[in-house]
Amino acid sequence: MTAIETVEEFRTRARTWLKEHMPPAPSPLPASDEEFAWDRARELQRLLHDGGFAGICFPTEYGGLGLTADHQRAFTEESLPYEMPLLLNVPTLSICAASLLDLGSEEQKRAHLPAVLRGEEIMVQFLSEPRGGSDLAGLTSRADRDGDQWILNGSKIWSSGAYAADYGLCLARTDWSVPKHQGLTLFLVPVHAEGVTVQRIKQVTGSTEFCQEFFDDVVLPADAVVGQVDGGWEAASRLLFHERAALGGASPYSSGARPYLGGEADRLFDMAKAMGRLSNSGVREDIGEARAMNVVRDQLIAHVTQAITTGALPPAAGAIPRLFSAENGWLQTDTALRIAGADGATYTPGAAADTETVGLDYLFRAAWSLAGGSTEIARNVISERVLGMPREATGDRDVPFDQVPHGR
């Protein structure tokens, strides 16, 4: 039996390989709504795969390395100075592929996970709906059985990168005669199938990364079901567990920098220094607070991850670092704007201070309140599923969904 490579041996090998094969990280990062950025991400993922550093925590039978979260953490630390396929971290690797690993049939896992790790397939989530808000179980997109097939109709929204994806994990209603959580099924939907239309949504930042999808009589085979028919809520709950882990920084399935966790405070120091503002005591205090928050963030991620792994905390505790990371993201963007001042809105190419993305990051800060489920939902999860507090009262609990009033 071959001995597993130690974390330090793996770190040393990764350090050497990264230096020899990966280009330095670009600054700023390419916009996530540019076609070339997704093509580049696929290329970089293939480079990692061919070099033996893709899917570090995925099982070997599905193309991964079968190593531990400590190995992944070591690789991530070594990879920070280099260009990495960050666009594939969320949601392809850390949410969709991780969910397929937990829920998919053997055929689904063998067909899709190696392709994901080679950079050949990009996966996204089709969960939220235009009329649904945070009530995911109240969705009305439907899949009706037609012999051995399913016919999908409806619409999804706020799907990051759907226009560049190959497959989407789509939650649809398959039984309207039971309460809303019981009649759902999760499907693996080809994004380019006949009847699927993807429209990009322009945000206040100018980005068109988010998308809305329309499904018009999309024919899906029986083997498109992920998990069990009418067992979609359990499947979606597992997917949301991986989403909270990803956006809280606790996922073992992604590599490279984690800008969605608030970034690193070194950027604030460098910006303040370049602008000659380090002599300001208020600026130094802001940078100190930002650094302290990142230390707490990393320690909280490690603590909660360990507690979930050992069973000391339930999986729902992943909502804790997810909530903290959102609040840290707000603090980091607010701090950057205070330091940059007017330069955050009037960046000049070639300026000494790197303030190019400060204003856009601030405009986008509200997204961290919503990604992975709103912060309000995260607080509910923590109170109800971690602390054991009473659930919120709802008027549609245990009511067949076809008897619940809609559109009022």
Side-chain angles (χ1 to χ4, degrees):
M1 180 178 177
T2 304
I4 296 178
E5 190 174 19
T6 69
V7 172
E8 286 310 310
E9 289 170 341
F10 183 74
R11 179 191 293 275
T12 299
R13 185 165 64 87
R15 182 183 302 142
T16 299
W17 184 87
L18 286 163
K19 183 177 181 180
E20 294 176 352
H21 294 89
M22 299 300 284
S27 181
L29 295 173
S32 59
D33 61 346
E34 298 287 347
E35 294 281 355
F36 82 88
W38 291 93
D39 293 338
R40 180 59 173 163
R42 290 179 188 261
E43 293 173 2
L44 293 168
Q45 183 65 31
R46 185 61 191 234
L47 195 57
L48 289 178
H49 176 273
D50 292 348
F53 291 100
I56 292 170
C57 290
F58 283 89
T60 56
E61 57 265 38
Y62 307 124
L65 303 185
L67 297 176
T68 70
D70 289 335
H71 289 81
Q72 176 64 73
R73 193 174 301 111
F75 183 81
T76 291
E77 291 170 357
E78 296 298 328
S79 69
L80 293 179
Y82 301 98
E83 185 180 11
M84 297 289 289
L86 302 183
L87 288 178
L88 303 188
N89 280 342
V90 180
T92 296
L93 289 165
S94 58
I95 302 177
C96 295
S99 298
L100 200 62
L101 179 63
D102 291 344
L103 305 166
S105 66
E106 190 65 19
E107 292 76 13
Q108 288 171 335
K109 289 187 280 192
R110 291 190 180 277
H112 297 286
L113 293 181
V116 166
L117 297 183
R118 290 192 299 266
E120 295 169 1
E121 289 185 6
I122 293 175
M123 293 185 173
V124 295
Q125 300 161 273
F126 293 155
L127 297 181
S128 299
E129 297 195 353
R131 56 167 287 173
S134 294
D135 182 18
L136 178 59
L139 61 85
T140 56
S141 290
R142 62 188 301 149
D144 298 299
R145 197 189 294 270
D146 181 17
D148 293 333
Q149 299 176 326
W150 295 89
I151 308 300
L152 176 65
N153 284 280
S155 181
K156 299 291 181 176
I157 201 168
W158 311 127
S159 308
S160 299
Y163 72 93
D166 302 290
Y167 289 90
L169 286 175
C170 180
L171 194 63
R173 189 164 302 282
T174 46
D175 187 347
W176 296 68
S177 67
V178 296
K180 63 182 182 181
H181 292 85
Q182 298 176 24
L184 305 173
T185 302
L186 188 66
F187 294 90
L188 186 61
V189 178
V191 174
H192 303 291
E194 184 177 356
V196 178
T197 302
V198 178
Q199 293 185 355
R200 297 167 72 167
I201 302 170
K202 190 170 185 178
Q203 303 165 64
V204 68
T205 61
S207 171
T208 56
E209 176 194 10
F210 287 141
C211 300
Q212 181 172 1
E213 300 77 39
F214 300 89
F215 308 110
D216 297 296
D217 292 332
V218 179
V219 179
L220 300 174
D223 61 9
V225 173
V226 178
Q228 302 297 318
V229 173
D230 296 333
W233 185 251
E234 291 74 15
S237 296
R238 191 60 186 172
L239 190 150
L240 292 172
F241 162 77
H242 285 298
E243 185 174 28
R244 286 191 292 267
L247 296 175
S251 174
Y253 298 113
S254 59
S255 298
R258 304 171 297 179
Y260 49 87
L261 298 183
E264 304 305 325
D266 287 349
R267 174 197 179 198
L268 302 177
F269 178 87
D270 293 341
M271 184 169 62
K273 183 178 180 180
M275 301 183 76
R277 295 179 181 172
L278 278 180
S279 60
N280 185 302
S281 60
V283 169
R284 295 198 302 273
E285 289 177 1
D286 283 344
I287 295 173
E289 181 181 5
R291 286 182 178 238
M293 284 286 281
N294 280 349
V295 170
V296 172
R297 173 200 66 192
D298 293 341
Q299 292 183 350
L300 180 65
I301 290 169
H303 174 74
V304 172
T305 301
Q306 177 68 14
I308 293 175
T309 302
T310 62
L313 284 174
I320 299 172
R322 179 267 175 272
L323 175 61
F324 185 90
S325 294
E327 294 183 343
N328 184 43
W330 305 335
L331 181 140
Q332 302 291 337
T333 54
D334 293 353
T335 301
L337 189 62
R338 280 200 302 274
I339 294 173
D343 289 341
T346 59
Y347 170 75
T348 302
D354 181 13
T355 62
E356 181 174 0
T357 64
V358 169
L360 293 177
D361 289 345
Y362 182 80
L363 289 175
F364 196 71
R365 74 190 291 280
W368 307 129
S369 308
L370 302 172
S374 68
T375 51
E376 289 84 356
I377 293 294
R379 289 184 170 91
N380 280 354
V381 169
I382 294 167
S383 65
E384 296 171 4
R385 303 181 198 174
V386 180
L387 301 177
M389 299 174 69
R391 291 178 61 92
E392 280 189 301
T394 59
D396 57 5
R397 184 178 300 282
D398 299 326
V399 178
F401 194 69
D402 56 6
Q403 297 179 25
V404 175
H406 298 289
R408 297 183 182 178

